Amino acid sequence: MIDTRLLSGKDVSQAVYTTLDPRIQSLKQTGIVPSLAVILVGDDAPSKVYVKSKSRQFAKMGLKSETIPLPEATSEAGLISFIDELNQDSSFHGILVQLPLPAQIRSEKVIRAISPEKDVDGFHPENLGLLTSGQPRFIPCTPKGILKIISHYKINPSGKHVVVLGRSNIVGRPMSILLSSKNENGNGTVTLCHSSTPDIKTFSRQADILIVALGVPKLITKTFVKKGAVIIDVGIHRIPNNSEKGYEIVGDVDRKSIEGKVSAITPVPGGVGPMTIAMLVENTVEAAEIQST
Ligand code: GUN
């Protein structure tokens, strides 16, 4: 048994807010309040929760965020023309379209419609291209937050075998690019596993750093991990139970199972989640700075 360190994203996010504060104040001195438009289409329950916690944090920092709810039946063309209006509206520095979108809307078309200068999610192909070629503009919030966690806790991916489970455009794919890039938080040797990987365990057991973004509650147990590994749990699931609250929040990793075997793990809640929000605030402040110069 070894001591497993908890990597608190809550603590790191507070440190991020402290460093953002003077940047926000200096923008305010020139009459600029960083401002974000959040578009929420339909009634996806988890999306509503995420959007609420984003706007709560913006209010806490004295920033502007406006959530625009649109009906489930919104058409792709209707959404795109609304985004066009926001692109032209200089009172918003950032535009975020909460995903997933209803089935009749192709998310890649919608993401392409967002002005790359306002794409604080970093999902636009131009921004992903810049990231891939080592000249990032906006880095997607969850991978960026994970890099901040590992650098804060002095975990250096250089020379390590990093295994990323999940290839989504939101987390796994940009994460794999960043961790293999030639920079101070990169230089890892990265393996990217996905739904067509025949036996994920073969790879996850080799990981010095394991990033889990599969979306399956408590999938990763002690037989999936190497002794002494660092585990980053991106999953977040609300599981009904008999407690007073009626549910518990769990990740993709079964923390109880791997504690004592791995050297460090991000808790759920309080790990990656708060960092995603902190990075959205940071990207919006950056967008306001870029647009004001
Ligand atoms: N849905 C889940 N995560 C995200 C995110 O980071 N950005 C957006 N826009 N939608 C999401």
Side-chain angles (χ1 to χ4, degrees), residues 96-99 121 123:
L96 180 150
V97 179
Q98 186 65 28
L99 303 175
D121 257 331
F123 295 164

Side-chain angles (χ1 to χ4, degrees), residues 38-39 44 46-47 50-51 54 95-100 111 114 119-123 140-143 170-171 276-277 280:
V38 178
I39 304 173
D44 182 61
S47 290
Y50 296 144
V51 164
K54 287 169 189 173
I95 301 170
L96 180 150
V97 179
Q98 186 65 28
L99 303 175
I111 288 164
I114 299 171
D119 168 39
V120 286
D121 257 331
F123 295 164
C141 302
T142 301
I170 297 180
V171 186
T276 298
I277 294 176
L280 179 64

Side-chain angles (χ1 to χ4, degrees), residues 20-284:
L20 282 178
D21 215 37
R23 288 168 63 183
I24 295 167
Q25 296 321 321
S26 85
L27 281 164
K28 282 189 175 172
Q29 270 161 21
T30 63
I32 296 159
V33 179
S35 133
L36 174 69
V38 178
I39 304 173
L40 176 62
V41 187
D43 300 309
D44 182 61
S47 290
K48 283 185 180 170
V49 176
Y50 296 144
V51 164
K52 204 177 259 179
S53 39
K54 287 169 189 173
S55 71
R56 200 179 303 130
Q57 189 60 44
F58 271 70
K60 209 167 158 186
M61 302 293 292
L63 307 181
K64 194 180 141 201
S65 82
E66 189 173 327
T67 300
I68 303 121
L70 295 177
E72 180 82 25
T74 301
S75 69
E76 186 179 285
L79 177 55
I80 288 174
S81 73
F82 185 59
I83 290 170
D84 279 340
E85 281 174 35
L86 293 174
N87 285 339
Q88 310 301 325
D89 183 345
S90 61
S91 69
F92 289 112
H93 304 103
I95 301 170
L96 180 150
V97 179
Q98 186 65 28
L99 303 175
L101 288 166
Q104 75 278 12
I105 303 176
R106 290 166 291 182
S107 54
E108 62 282 8
K109 298 279 178 200
V110 169
I111 288 164
R112 266 180 187 272
I114 299 171
S115 159
E117 280 83 22
K118 294 191 176 187
D119 168 39
V120 286
D121 257 331
F123 295 164
H124 190 285
E126 182 177 311
N127 288 323
L128 287 176
L130 286 168
L131 174 81
T132 306
S133 58
Q135 331 155 60
R137 182 195 275 138
F138 295 118
I139 300 177
C141 302
T142 301
K144 189 180 188 188
I146 292 170
L147 289 188
K148 288 249 165 142
I149 291 180
I150 61 178
S151 90
H152 180 92
Y153 291 104
K154 308 215 171 348
I155 296 157
N156 186 353
S158 180
K160 302 270 168 52
H161 186 193
V162 183
V163 176
V164 180
L165 305 183
R167 61 178 160 189
S168 72
N169 287 334
I170 297 180
V171 186
R173 170 111 28 224
M175 190 79 266
S176 69
I177 294 164
L178 288 161
L179 286 165
S180 60
S181 296
K182 195 168 187 175
N183 63 41
E184 61 177 317
N185 287 315
N187 290 320
T189 304
V190 175
T191 300
L192 178 59
C193 298
H194 44 75
S195 50
S196 293
T197 304
D199 184 14
I200 275 178
K201 208 182 257 191
T202 316
F203 299 98
S204 64
R205 285 180 67 88
Q206 296 175 38
D208 301 307
I209 301 172
L210 180 65
I211 317 274
V212 190
L214 288 169
V216 183
K218 292 190 179 180
L219 178 77
I220 301 304
T221 54
K222 63 171 180 271
T223 58
F224 282 76
V225 298
K226 179 162 91 173
K227 200 172 160 191
V230 172
I231 315 293
I232 307 292
D233 187 354
V234 184
I236 179 149
H237 312 275
R238 188 187 276 221
I239 308 290
N241 68 6
N242 294 326
S243 71
E244 211 170 287
K245 271 197 291 188
Y247 64 87
E248 67 166 336
I249 303 286
V250 303
D252 286 358
V253 177
D254 184 344
R255 189 170 122 196
K256 287 228 162 63
S257 170
I258 67 166
E259 257 171 350
K261 184 171 184 183
V262 300
S263 62
I265 180 170
T266 56
V268 177
V272 173
M275 289 307 295
T276 298
I277 294 176
M279 294 303 98
L280 179 64
V281 175
E282 186 173 279
N283 283 354
T284 306

